[in-house]
Amino acid sequence: MDCNLRPYQEEVVQAALRGENSIIWLPTGGGKTRAAVYVTKKHLETTANAKVAVLVNKVHLVDQHFAKEFKPYLGNTYKITAISGDSNEKDLFGCLVKASDLVICTAQILENALINMEEEKHVELTDFTLLVIDECHHTQKESVYNKIMGRYVEKKVRKQGNLPQILGLTASPGTGGNRQLDKAVEHVLQICANLDSVIVSTKNFTLVLQKVVPRPKKQYDIVEKRALDPFGDHLKAMMLMIHEFMPSTVSRSLREMGTQEYEADVVELEKAENRLIAQCALHLRQYNDALLINDTVRMVDAFWGLDEFYNSRKTKLLDGTDLFLQGLFDENRVELKQLASNARYENPKLARLQCTLQEEFNDENSRAILFSKTRRGTHCLFDWVNSNPELQRVNVKAGILTGAGTGANHMTQNEQKETIKHFRKGILNLLISTSVAEEGLDIPECNLVVRYGLLTNEIAQQQASGRARAMNSVYSVVAEEGGREIRRELTNEYLESLTAKAIDQVQQMSPREFSRKISELQQNAVMIRIQAERKKDEREQRYSPGQVQFQCRGCFLPVCSGEDLRKIENTHHVNINLEFERHYTAGVQVVLEKSFEDWEPGRVISCRNCGKEWGMEIKFRRVVIVPCLKIKSFSLKTPGGKSTPKQWKDVEFQVKEFDFLKDMNAFILSDLQMRRNMNTLHNL
């Protein structure tokens, strides 16, 4: 099949066709991936021993790029392999790269292969002649893309090896949150430095591009502020009672209730060493979530969320703090339920949203995406749509699209694919989605995109807007008059234009000046990377494993030592001490869509004392079942005090690698000793 390009696509691929590293900047729907297919085809045709890797940042994009773009145009001539975290073949990545002309994979798969030294799994950057990086604006800070490109830049600075050509694709590099042109220019230059690339866009065919990707008509669907909110007021009064129960110095530091800032404050307090403060913070977070839901969807949604939380805790009340918090909700439950059921005080945003949807769905061919902030929010909106007689009358058929995962409200990869397939076929005509639909997904043209109660950056706004690609489409912002959403949306409009100005300024630089700036930024990045590695090594050596005590974050009970832990494949952190078993209970079986070479999931594990979830069992090499721990479920007591790391890479001791023979022998001997002890006790 011929891979024909539009004039503006031909313009933006010229640098890449000359073998130069470049970032293609085109709007959502402008055909960036098709341009990448064309460059890849020409590269494979003209480069000796060519080997191409297409990197994506989400698993579902692997199959999408393979089936929709690369296979139709290149599949008859070249060996193409698609590999993601869902693929069993990922464990033979090194072998597959050798056997393929083109691999399409998640960036994490390549990162794992770069650090894994087993021959069948390992690859080097120099094994490739071209790297295509999708959604390349993510190549910054601690992202996987930037880890890969950090190695690339370091090799370049050190003048090591034949490095592959780079082709980045983005709908917007953004401004990095900067509001001044000079700072926005610095941000764009940093992205260029991280990707060792120039940034290219169409200059001669902007009118053609505008016809292909028409901008939607933007409308602000404004609602007046709620006149009365007795349900929300009652929640705030209960929160104040919890504030009074806490030390006054702590509660005084909290910001405005019902905001993201307040949530950030209580999340920090959950890490407190004092159980009273930590538990109060956990409950305040639930109340704040209820306020945010009350502000976005229905009062009953907020109420049932709280009710579910307190029902789950009734059997695990450990002390006076738990009794006070549970009692406070139980005493107010009936009144909260009555207030939540009073239609007079319902959220006015929903009435406005109903009008917006009704207006569009009077046309039976309409397709729309409704963006909401959280997974829970999408489920609440789904229930509201399905129980709304006016929306059912205009035949709204809604489906939910959220990120993949294993937790509550997550979707499996197959469920995502099915939902998008049904949307494409018209079985569904409204997608209620989190940000997962903003970026990359192959979703049909929509004539309505609604942003509902969202505070995001200019990149997310542009990508969401780009989903409204049908002629005469509408991009609607449903928000409260004078609210934060409106202010953020207007700020994002300004930042979008600032991004364009910053890119233009970078493109206007002389090649010499651009090269000098990029070189400075890259040398600086290499120095920072070396220092970060040194600090990481120092942090890991700060304490010996035996000096670190793990305590449950729910009840502060000591449960194990750092000496009991082992690391499997640099990913799973397991406890190999059989004594640990007495501290937890095992619950429901974890079910994952994907399968793995060396392990399979077992049951969820939770603290026997307070019920806090700790992780899950894993069956390793079909031989041994070991508990695999989530670091966020524990606080760590060290000679220097307590800490609450968010990730395993933040712990201040070195977790030993799992040595299968040595640790299995110790495991078996420990098991035999425990059985002997049990028999001795039984005989006594």
Side-chain angles (χ1 to χ4, degrees), residues 86-147:
D86 286 355
S87 317
N88 295 329
E89 302 100 320
K90 72 179 188 300
D91 298 309
L92 301 168
F93 188 73
C95 298
L96 288 169
V97 167
K98 282 176 187 163
S100 306
D101 300 304
L102 165 63
V103 292
I104 305 171
C105 65
T106 48
Q108 190 63 57
I109 299 283
L110 177 58
E111 169 68 7
N112 293 348
L114 289 168
I115 58 180
N116 193 316
M117 289 300 130
E118 293 177 47
E119 188 179 348
E120 68 273 16
K121 297 180 182 180
H122 181 69
V123 296
E124 291 285 345
L125 282 173
T126 49
D127 292 339
F128 301 97
T129 55
L130 172 65
L131 289 185
V132 179
I133 302 180
D134 192 32
E135 309 293 356
C136 70
H137 52 272
H138 292 298
T139 312
Q140 52 179 313
K141 298 177 182 173
E142 296 297 309
S143 74
V144 185
Y145 280 164
N146 213 26
K147 287 178 183 174

Side-chain angles (χ1 to χ4, degrees), residues 5 25 53 62 71 85 99 111 148 201 262 272 274 290 344 380 384 415 432 611 629 650 670:
L5 299 184
W25 174 47
V62 173
K71 188 185 176 190
E111 169 68 7
I148 293 167
S201 56
Y262 185 91
N274 181 312
R344 283 171 56 204
C380 294
W384 170 74
E415 285 170 341
I432 304 172
L629 308 182
D650 300 326
S670 177

Side-chain angles (χ1 to χ4, degrees), residues 333-456:
R333 184 183 181 279
V334 172
E335 190 172 353
L336 280 173
K337 190 177 180 183
Q338 286 172 346
L339 289 170
S341 306
N342 192 331
R344 283 171 56 204
Y345 306 117
E346 197 49 275
N347 190 342
K349 288 180 192 169
L350 288 171
R352 179 64 262 190
L353 177 60
Q354 179 185 309
C355 291
T356 301
L357 292 173
Q358 270 181 282
E359 206 172 294
E360 286 301 319
F361 280 99
N362 278 325
D363 176 353
E364 61 182 25
N365 296 315
S366 282
R367 274 206 183 91
I369 303 181
L370 170 56
F371 283 107
S372 180
K373 184 176 189 299
T374 63
R375 292 186 185 94
R376 189 162 163 204
T378 61
H379 284 263
C380 294
L381 284 166
F382 177 76
D383 292 342
W384 170 74
V385 167
N386 286 339
S387 62
N388 186 306
E390 293 301 314
L391 295 180
Q392 295 310 301
R393 189 178 57 77
V394 292
N395 205 26
V396 174
K397 296 167 290 190
I400 291 170
L401 185 65
T402 60
T406 55
N409 294 337
H410 282 77
M411 295 181 84
T412 64
Q413 299 289 343
N414 284 336
E415 285 170 341
Q416 281 185 337
K417 286 175 189 171
E418 278 298 294
T419 299
I420 292 166
K421 187 169 89 178
H422 287 161
F423 189 60
R424 189 173 288 115
K425 287 182 174 178
I427 298 167
L428 301 173
N429 55 18
L430 173 66
L431 279 187
I432 304 172
S433 178
T434 53
S435 60
V436 71
E438 286 171 354
E439 191 173 271
L441 270 179
D442 181 30
I443 291 171
E445 291 181 349
C446 298
N447 53 299
L448 173 67
V449 166
V450 183
R451 304 242 308 158
Y452 186 74
L454 285 178
L455 292 166
T456 58

